[in-house]
Structures are given as C-alpha cells and as structure tokens.
C-alpha cells in the first residue's frame, strides 16, 4: 500500500499540489466530510486536520473518518500539541517548530507524543515548521521568534537545517488569517536551497496569492480560512486551480 508521504511526493513531482486545512473544532464531522468532498471536487490533493486549540482525540478521529468516507482523500493530522492523537487519520505531520523560543515546541512535545504515535501505528511525515511574520495565533501559542520578511537568509538557514536533520518536508507558515502571506522572494530563495519539498501556507485566500506562491516554487499550498469561509464552489476551484497551475 502506498503511504501518504509517497502519494504526496509523487504528486509534487508533477507540479504544485493543494492541501485544504480543516479544523475539527469548527464544524461537526458530517460537515467536515461534506467540505472535504467539495475540496476533492475542486481538485485538492489531501486534507490536513488541525487547529491551534480545541482539538481532541475524539473530534479529530471523527473528522478523519468522515473525510475518508465522504471524499476518499487522504488525511494528515496537523497537530497543535501532544495530547490530541488519533489512529483514525492516515498520517501525521510529525513536526518541530524549529524557530520556537521554547524547547517544548522544538522537541519536548514530540518526545512526549512519540511512544503513543508508535503504539497507534500512525504514519509519520517529519516536518520542519518555520514561522514567518506575522505568525498569528500559531506563532503566539508556539512561542515563535517569527522570521521577518527581510530575513531571507535566516529562513534559508532554518530550512536547510531541517533538510540536514533528515526531515521529509519544510513548511513556511505565515499564520492562519495572516494579512501578508509568505513573500514570493522568500519562497524562491528557500526553494532554491532545498532538495526536499516545500509547503507554504498562511494568509493565502485569492487566486493571485496562490499563483504567486506556486510560481515562486512552493510544492504544496495550504489554505484554511478560505476553505472554512468560502461557500462558492467556483471560487474554491479558482484558488485550487491557481495553486496547481491549471
Ligand atoms: C508532533 C506532535 C505530536 C506535536 C508537536 C506539535 C507542534 C510542534 C506544534 C507547534 C505549535 C502549534 C500550536 C501549532 C499549531 C498548528 C496548527 C494545527 C495550526 C492550525 O491552526 P490555525 O488554523 O492556525 O489556528 P486556529 O485553530 O486558531 O484557527
Ligand atoms: O488559514 P490560512 O490563512 O489559510 O492559513 C493556513 C495554514 O497555513 C495555517 O496553519
Ligand atoms: Mg484555523
């Protein structure tokens, strides 16, 4: 059976992919399944499940099952901490917030979670999670030292360190609902330095922003707030299409 990591990697070899982020705390599992089906029809490649607060093993597992059942898309748990694990997801971003000021978010949360992740048998996809300004709530909760838009070399350094650690993917995160997404110049500099896939998210809610991130070199584009708020299927499709270049 093909793993989620293999599935994503194969797709990213062919072009930029789109990941929709759903927060299990924001709707019931039926609704989450229905949104995932709409995202599948719009062209999304997989569904990330997470929220910086309010996620429990229960709402996570219910949401994961409903998404699989109603959309057929693979799920990736995007964890907000070590206390919200479920076996009812296809994979987990086993992530370190590498520019946190607090060792908890860099390695201690992971050390606490690892034995349980292993026991549940969840597929892990290791992820270097790098917070770019403004960072929003995730930056605050994770006690990040957000990288400024002008600090391109710093972003490159963190991303390369993640690759040298052997991580699978790097994620440049501007924060959910950011007024300014990660700047294209930073995406292209990081992409140029890396040989592992680059995920970009935070504040992307227009076809223009998605297109700019793709052209700069993002291998995967994440949209959360936009997916939660947009009830117009043709708008959804236009952002997914701009992400994927079609
Ligand atoms: C690897 C394991 C099991 C735990 C570590 C988890 C780490 C390092 C988390 C970093 C800090 C953190 C709080 C990340 C949250 C990431 C996330 C789920 C973001 C999505 O939530 P948002 O949509 O930004 O926030 P709201 O819930 O407020 O909408
Ligand atoms: O909600 P948005 O702004 O799309 O951000 C998505 C994601 O990068 C947040 O973790
Ligand atoms: Mg959110």
């Amino acid at each position: 059976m093909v793993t989620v990591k293999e599935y994503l990697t194969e797709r990213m070899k062919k072009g930029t992919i789109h990941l929709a982020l759903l927060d299990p705390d924001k709707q019931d599992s039926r609704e989450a399944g229905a949104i995932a089906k709409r995202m599948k029809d719009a062209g999304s490649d997989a569904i990330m499940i997470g929220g910086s607060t309010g996620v429990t093993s229960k709402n996570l597992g219910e949401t994961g099952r409903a998404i699989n059942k109603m959309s057929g898309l693979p799920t990736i748990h995007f964890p907000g901490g070590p206390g919200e694990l479920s076996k009812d997801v296809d994979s987990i971003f086993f992530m370190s917030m590498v520019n946190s000021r607090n060792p908890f978010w860099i390695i201690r949360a992971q050390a606490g979670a690892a034995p349980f992740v292993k026991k549940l048998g969840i597929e892990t996809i290791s992820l270097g999670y790098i917070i770019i300004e403004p960072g929003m709530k995730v930056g605050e909760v994770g006690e990040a030292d957000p990288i400024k838009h002008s600090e391109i070399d710093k972003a490159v350094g963190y991303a390369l360190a993640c690759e040298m650690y052997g991580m699978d993917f790097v994620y440049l995160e501007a924060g959910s609902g950011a007024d300014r997404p990660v700047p294209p110049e930073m995406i292209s500099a990081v992409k140029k330095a890396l040989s592992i896939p680059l995920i970009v998210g935070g504040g992307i809610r227009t076809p223009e922003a998605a297109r700019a991130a793709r052209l700069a070199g993002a291998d995967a584009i994440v949209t959360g707030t936009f997916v939660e708020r947009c009830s117009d299927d043709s708008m959804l499709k236009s952002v997914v299409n701009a992400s994927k270049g079609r």
Side-chain angles (χ1 to χ4, degrees), residues 20 24-25 29 32-33 39 41 81 100 109 113-114 127 145 154 171 181 193 209 214 242:
D25 190 34
S29 58
M39 294 319 297
D41 293 342
S100 175
L127 183 83
D145 196 1
K154 194 166 169 183
Y171 189 150
R214 172 175 55 81

Side-chain angles (χ1 to χ4, degrees), residues 21 23 26 49-55 77-85 92-97 104-106 109-110 113-114 117 129 136-138 141-142 173 175-177 224-225 228:
L21 170 64
D23 187 337
K26 295 228 166 99
I49 312 174
S52 52
T53 50
V55 183
H77 176 198
F78 187 37
E84 45 160 269
L85 301 171
I92 180 172
F93 276 146
F94 199 81
M95 60 198 220
S96 171
M97 187 188 277
F104 179 79
W105 301 109
I106 302 172
Q110 296 77 358
V117 171
Y129 191 46
M136 310 303 284
K137 191 169 157 194
V138 165
V141 173
E173 169 74 277
S176 184
T225 308
E228 277 165 18

